[in-house]
Amino acid sequence: DTGVSQDPRHKITKRGQNVTFRCDPISEHNRLYWYRQTLGQGPEFLTYFQNEAQLEKSRLLSDRFSAERPKGSFSTLEIQRTEQGDSAMYLCASSIVGQLGDTFGSGTRLTVV
Amino acid sequence: AQSVTQLGSHVSVSEGALVLLRCNYSSSVPPYLFWYVQYPNQGLQLLLKYTSAATLVKGINGFEAEFKKSETSFHLTKPSAHMSDAAEYFCAVTLSTGRRALTFGSGTRLQVQP
């Protein structure tokens, strides 16, 4: 059990560029969540997967955001045409169906300049 | 819909003093409640969780929380603060059915003075 891994840890990008983040959950975990955390706030739910199926997306997830989990293992979160308001910490968490309490990764901090 | 409210965005205590961080929840169905801790530039670590078994829940690092349905509260306590407890603490709720994604409060920053 190596924990939830997120890559990169930090990303600085220019407004209008596309960025992609990766999350590797704990290997046997079939649920995977993405959250966004802005400065001074708690994390907010973006989307979640059970295995490879994306089962829910928050209204926070505009059409510039897309997430995939192609083989039910790692997941990617892509933001197209980044805006300054996208600057935040993006957190990934995973768990097993029936388990309560998710394991979080260390996050990817995005800064849009 | 569910929500949590954390009273006090900043709490400062002296080393060795009691820690009390407040959390009130709102939920239309029986909730599951959690406390997470976040150190600077890190992810969240689970401290403890309430899952409808015992109302007094013990967690890691000497923390505990009591679920009080009549007060819709789930306050976090620790008898004696250590310098290493300085961090951001988040209360979270999820419902007993459905997607189980967490709804977080806005957090309480705990400072521990020497």
Side-chain angles (χ1 to χ4, degrees):
Chain A
D1 180 355
T2 56
V4 178
S5 176
Q6 291 189 246
D7 184 69
R9 289 295 307 277
H10 303 274
K11 178 71 176 178
I12 300 174
T13 191
K14 292 183 178 179
R15 190 175 52 184
Q17 297 294 305
N18 299 344
V19 294
T20 300
F21 311 139
R22 178 181 170 120
C23 171
D24 286 90
I26 294 172
S27 58
E28 64 269 26
H29 284 189
N30 45 17
R31 281 195 172 183
L32 186 149
Y33 301 84
W34 285 98
Y35 292 85
R36 180 172 68 188
Q37 184 180 23
T38 53
L39 207 59
Q41 298 298 317
E44 296 173 294
F45 167 74
L46 292 178
T47 188
Y48 98 104
F49 294 83
Q50 185 162 310
N51 300 312
E52 66 276 8
Q54 188 174 19
L55 296 186
E56 186 171 347
K57 294 191 288 187
S58 163
R59 58 184 170 80
L60 293 175
L61 211 67
S62 76
D63 56 6
R64 295 185 298 106
F65 288 69
S66 62
E68 294 182 341
R69 193 183 184 197
K71 296 182 179 179
S73 56
F74 73 92
S75 176
T76 58
L77 177 68
E78 181 183 17
I79 309 174
Q80 296 182 324
R81 306 181 303 281
T82 53
E83 302 172 356
Q84 287 190 318
D86 297 331
S87 295
M89 174 81 89
Y90 289 84
L91 293 163
C92 176
S94 69
S95 66
I96 298 173
V97 172
Q99 173 190 73
L100 289 170
D102 305 322
T103 302
F104 280 80
S106 296
T108 294
R109 181 167 294 285
L110 173 66
T111 302
V112 182
V113 298
Chain B
Q2 69 275 15
S3 65
V4 291
T5 301
Q6 291 185 242
L7 298 175
S9 58
H10 289 83
V11 170
S12 183
V13 301
S14 298
E15 192 173 19
L18 171 72
V19 175
L20 170 61
L21 305 182
R22 299 178 186 273
C23 172
N24 287 88
Y25 71 91
S26 172
S27 174
S28 55
V29 300
Y32 295 141
L33 294 158
F34 306 81
W35 277 98
Y36 281 85
V37 61
Q38 186 177 35
Y39 297 98
N41 296 313
Q42 296 294 318
L44 285 79
Q45 181 183 10
L46 180 65
L47 280 177
L48 50 79
K49 59 187 175 185
Y50 166 74
T51 60
S52 74
T55 56
L56 182 63
V57 181
K58 294 187 184 298
I60 62 171
N61 301 339
F63 285 94
E64 63 181 39
E66 186 171 8
F67 174 73
K68 292 187 177 180
K69 184 177 179 180
S70 61
E71 299 177 8
T72 61
S73 69
F74 190 58
H75 302 330
L76 182 71
T77 60
K78 182 173 180 177
S80 176
H82 295 159
M83 297 296 291
S84 60
D85 294 327
E88 187 95 22
Y89 291 80
F90 293 95
C91 182
V93 63
T94 189
L95 301 181
S96 53
T97 59
R99 57 170 157 84
R100 299 282 178 88
L102 297 167
T103 298
F104 286 88
S106 55
T108 297
R109 181 165 299 279
L110 176 66
Q111 274 188 313
V112 182
Q113 309 287 349

